[in-house]
Amino acid sequence: TADMLVHTWHKSGSSLCSLPAALLLLALAIAQPALPIVAAAAKTPVILIPGDGGSQVEARLDGKPWVPHYWCSKTTKDYFPIWLNLELLTYFTIDCFVDNFRLHFDNVTNISHNAPNVSIRVPNYGDTAAVEYFDVSRISASAYFSGLVAALTKQLGYTRNVSVRGVPFDFRRSPPDLDVENFDSNLLQLIESTCRDNGNRPALLVAHSYGNIMALRFLQRQSADWKRRHIRALLAVGAPLGGAVKTVRVVSSGDSLNIPFEKPLTIRPLQRSFTSSAFLMPQAPLWPPGEPFASRPGRNYSSSNYAEFFADIGFPEGLAMRLASLTDFDATKPPGVEVHCVHGDGLPTPGRFVWTSDEPGWADSQPGIVNDNGDGTVNERSLQACVKFWSGVQKQP
């Protein structure tokens, strides 16, 4: 069983859209190590914390003062699915989508806000439906935690929204931005109520990708006694604890996300507006000063000269966003619960981007890639930071 899990994970990686159902085997081994794999009256509750892009999001337009095209709506009667909504990612609607979904950073308060007269909400908090599929239409291409939830419920007697829960959140935002949206208090209440509903059994947190950042920060803020009573373990899947080089291209030149016919520069304003993008860029000490993650003729960029990097790509506001996004975050401080780190390996992963032009606007072109080892999205050193930072530092294994 263990060999099958490792082989499946190695082949598939742990990028945003790759969460193999074989992970169920490990999840259950952690959750119920002393129980046979049969339906049981009392379940160790499982709480799913998704990664970047892994939550459904809705929007409402309340009389926007400006739109990029005359066919873009200024007003809607009610909330509508904005992420992930494939109908909005066409050639004619992508500009409308970008303008509606982008954030606006306030460099006085260091907090981001939605576009003027746009209301954004994350529906169905606690419901697995919000994290099983990216798209509310539940098309197979948008499947996320669906395989894991199906196996838990159909084979092992778990009950949706009772013994397995979902924690959707506004993934556009950095951890300090999410403080304003009460991420910690909402998660605390959900964990406590879920534990009560399951015979006061501590919960297994299954966090993926960026969800691990939020899970870690949450656990760091809770008392040892509270964690002892409420947390069985943290299953950290593809945790980018030191960021990822891939985000450098997202912020500099844009990433079309493999959407057919879309240009990276069309989506770049949206990606630059996310404070989570600024947060997920490579972090020291895993990327030490002098080790470049980006290069162009006559200039290297590393963790020691982010100010120059943001200025040179024509996005000086990015530096303020990055510094604000890192407020009160320390990846070296352990969560104080049992941890199981799982990640992909052996897949080509961007390790450095190289631009060949030194002309003004050089960042508007797509760079060459010098590959590193990782899971295809996150570099190995970041994925293994849980071992590097936490082993021997906390008493829990």
Side-chain angles (χ1 to χ4, degrees), residues 67-310:
V67 290
H69 304 294
Y70 71 87
W71 58 80
C72 299
S73 299
K74 291 185 175 181
T75 302
T76 58
K77 291 183 179 180
D78 204 348
Y79 283 91
F80 63 92
I82 191 169
W83 182 269
L84 174 68
N85 187 338
L86 297 179
E87 295 178 357
L88 302 180
L89 301 181
T90 68
Y91 176 80
F92 291 101
T93 58
I94 188 68
D95 290 337
C96 310
F97 163 73
V98 168
D99 191 57
N100 290 334
F101 202 40
R102 65 189 301 178
L103 288 170
H104 292 256
F105 181 71
D106 185 334
N107 56 17
V108 175
T109 63
N110 287 332
I111 296 298
S112 294
H113 305 281
N114 296 318
N117 293 56
V118 177
S119 297
I120 297 288
R121 72 181 184 187
V122 178
N124 302 318
Y125 188 80
D127 193 330
T128 62
V131 300
E132 289 189 60
Y133 292 86
F134 300 132
D135 193 316
V136 294
S137 66
R138 300 174 71 88
I139 63 172
S140 59
S142 73
Y144 188 24
F145 277 109
S146 57
L148 186 62
V149 175
L152 285 167
T153 56
K154 294 178 181 179
Q155 300 175 26
L156 296 158
Y158 275 73
T159 303
R160 280 181 172 86
N161 310 326
V162 177
S163 49
V164 56
R165 311 296 301 272
V167 184
F169 64 94
D170 191 344
F171 56 83
R172 303 174 301 163
R173 299 181 178 277
S174 67
D177 265 0
L178 285 163
D179 281 346
V180 178
E181 299 201 342
N182 302 312
F183 179 91
D184 281 4
S185 60
N186 291 337
L187 180 55
L188 185 141
Q189 292 175 28
L190 179 69
I191 292 173
E192 290 183 344
S193 64
T194 302
C195 291
R196 285 196 302 269
D197 292 343
N198 291 274
N200 291 317
R201 297 190 69 166
L204 169 65
L205 303 185
V206 180
H208 179 223
S209 188
Y210 184 46
N212 283 285
I213 302 299
M214 301 311 303
L216 172 61
R217 199 163 180 263
F218 168 79
L219 291 170
Q220 288 173 341
R221 295 176 168 190
Q222 310 310 314
S223 70
D225 180 65
W226 186 92
K227 288 182 282 194
R228 179 186 58 79
R229 290 183 290 113
H230 293 96
I231 304 299
R232 167 65 186 86
L234 168 65
L235 175 53
V237 184
L241 295 177
V245 171
K246 187 173 183 178
T247 321
V248 172
R249 182 178 61 187
V250 170
V251 172
S252 58
S253 301
D255 190 326
S256 64
L257 306 176
N258 296 321
I259 301 171
F261 311 114
E262 296 301 347
K263 298 178 180 179
L265 293 183
T266 302
I267 302 178
R268 184 177 68 177
L270 176 68
Q271 295 169 327
R272 283 185 172 183
S273 79
F274 291 1
T275 48
S276 58
S277 296
F279 175 88
L280 286 168
M281 297 180 74
Q283 299 176 16
L286 295 181
W287 275 269
E291 181 183 347
F293 50 68
S295 303
R296 63 185 178 94
R299 179 65 65 91
N300 289 325
Y301 301 99
S302 71
S303 61
S304 63
N305 61 344
Y306 264 116
E308 291 87 348
F309 173 76
F310 284 114

